[in-house]
Each structure stands twice: as structure tokens, then as C-alpha cells.
Amino acid sequence: MKKQLLILLLLGTAGPLLAQSPVSARRWTEADRRYTVNNLKRTRDELTRETADLTDAQWHFHESSDRWSIAEVVEHLALWEIIWAREIGMGIRNTPRPDLLATSSPDSYYMDFIMETKPHRSPDFSRPTGFIRGKNNLVFFQRLRNQAIAFADTTQADMRVHFELTATESPRNMHQVYIYQWGHVDRHLRQIRNIKQRPNYPATTLSAK
């Protein structure tokens, strides 16, 4: 009888814990998800508006031999979409580390870095080849970005507690990788708009409409 009573007491204590939904403990909130998805869509749509009606000459205009064309900028963005997808895919396979939230850098640290005006040097693996012509670069980017949006919109992974670079002083979680992903497009939108302002940038013709 005493044994049965003990079992009932233990079940009564564990019941609320077993009934608690895992969603209630999530650090990546639905507001975080919407913020991420909205910015992924916003930057995709802004890039589309900036480049959809370019002529071939405008796509491949080089201000100088050491500067990228708009086509190369967009190819670079598409290559990074593959890299971000790999980082996120690997990150969510890592053991969750909510303990790192107490000492990791805030979102603003990553926002300030990706949005700064100081030039960044692209690593060799993300440098454009220049082989893709014109609007095909945009199609390349859009297809990959749409996949990223669909994943962010439906994943049940807690992006705030899955980290990469955990052996460093500044590990970043997957939500912060997303900040880099959409913020990276914002950086290069500035570059594209600057290219369009160059004095010798090809004029739009009626055939481009």
C-alpha cells in the first residue's frame, strides 16, 4: 500500500512536467521567426526590384577591372545562400546549448558588423566566377532564398539555442546566422545602388522594358 502511494505521489509530481509543451520552453519565439522570415523576404524582394529590368550591358558593367559587376554581386549573394544553408543545417544538428546565451554576444553585435560601411573581403570560396549571364544570377539567388524562407517558416528547431563556433569566445546562434544572411543582402544592395550611380554606367534603353 505504501509502495502504491509513493508511485501515485511521484506521478502526481511528474504529471505537470510531462504535460508541459516543449514549445513553452523555446527561446526562438514566433516573433523571432516572423522577424527572420520578413527580412529574408524583404531583402529578396528589394534585390529583385533593383535588378529585374537591367539590360545585359548594365548587368555586366565594370566600373574598373578590380570591381565586381552587378551580375557578379548577385552571383556572390547566391553562393552565400548555399553557405548559410549549410551553416544552419549543421548548426541545428549540434547539441542545444542554452547555457551559452548568458555569455554570447547580443544580436546587435552581428547587426552592426554586417551593416557597417567598411569593406569586407570575400573569402575565395564565395568569390563570383562571372560565368553566369545576366538575370540568371537573380534566378539562382531567388531559388535558394525561397528555400531558406520555406525552411525558416516551418522549422521546429530552436534557433536561439543551437550554436556554431562553440569552441571560440564568440559563438553565434542560428538566429544570428539569419541576421547575417539577410543583412548580407542589405550590404550588397548598397553596392548595387552605388554601381548604378557611376558616371559611365550604361543608360537604360527602351529594349530593356
Side-chain angles (χ1 to χ4, degrees):
M1 185 67 177
K2 289 182 178 179
K3 185 177 180 180
Q4 291 175 333
L5 180 60
L6 179 59
I7 292 172
L8 288 172
L9 287 171
L10 288 173
L11 287 174
T13 303
L17 296 178
L18 294 173
Q20 183 179 15
S21 170
V23 175
S24 65
R26 287 172 61 86
R27 308 298 178 90
W28 200 55
T29 65
E30 283 304 308
D32 286 334
R33 184 196 301 276
R34 295 271 61 81
Y35 175 79
T36 297
V37 169
N38 289 343
N39 277 294
L40 290 172
K41 289 180 177 179
R42 174 186 61 80
T43 49
R44 176 201 62 191
D45 294 346
E46 287 190 29
L47 184 65
T48 299
R49 284 193 294 270
E50 287 289 342
T51 61
D53 295 326
L54 298 182
T55 66
D56 189 69
Q58 289 170 334
W59 271 110
H60 299 285
F61 164 76
H62 288 266
E63 180 185 354
S64 61
S65 60
D66 61 339
R67 298 294 184 92
W68 291 352
S69 66
I70 294 176
E72 289 169 327
V73 172
V74 179
E75 182 189 356
H76 168 74
L77 291 174
L79 292 173
W80 267 107
E81 289 295 300
I82 298 172
I83 297 164
W84 299 130
R86 183 176 185 273
E87 289 195 20
I88 290 169
M90 293 180 68
I92 63 176
R93 288 173 174 81
N94 289 336
T95 301
R97 292 288 307 274
D99 57 297
L100 292 176
L101 288 168
T103 55
S104 60
S105 300
D107 293 352
S108 59
Y109 172 85
Y110 299 95
M111 185 80 73
D112 291 345
F113 173 78
I114 201 65
M115 296 299 186
E116 69 182 3
T117 56
K118 176 183 175 181
H120 293 175
R121 178 170 177 78
S122 176
D124 289 343
F125 57 76
S126 68
R127 297 183 68 82
T129 64
F131 296 150
I132 304 176
R133 295 300 300 178
K135 195 172 182 177
N136 288 337
N137 290 284
L138 180 60
V139 175
F140 182 24
F141 170 84
Q142 288 171 329
R143 180 168 298 181
L144 294 164
R145 173 54 64 89
N146 288 342
Q147 292 173 356
I149 291 168
F151 181 79
D153 203 27
T154 59
T155 182
Q156 293 306 302
D158 191 337
M159 298 303 193
R160 288 283 188 185
V161 298
H162 287 282
F163 283 81
E164 61 176 2
L165 309 176
T166 53
T168 70
E169 293 182 358
S170 300
R172 60 193 181 203
N173 61 51
M174 297 302 101
H175 180 76
Q176 293 164 340
V177 172
Y178 273 134
I179 290 173
Y180 273 174
Q181 184 169 7
W182 56 260
H184 184 233
V185 178
D186 275 322
R187 278 186 64 82
H188 286 288
L189 280 165
R190 291 200 305 256
Q191 182 182 6
I192 289 170
R193 289 162 183 151
N194 285 335
I195 292 172
K196 290 180 172 183
Q197 296 303 311
R198 298 300 92 197
N200 52 340
Y201 178 73
T204 300
T205 62
L206 291 177
S207 61
K209 297 299 185 180

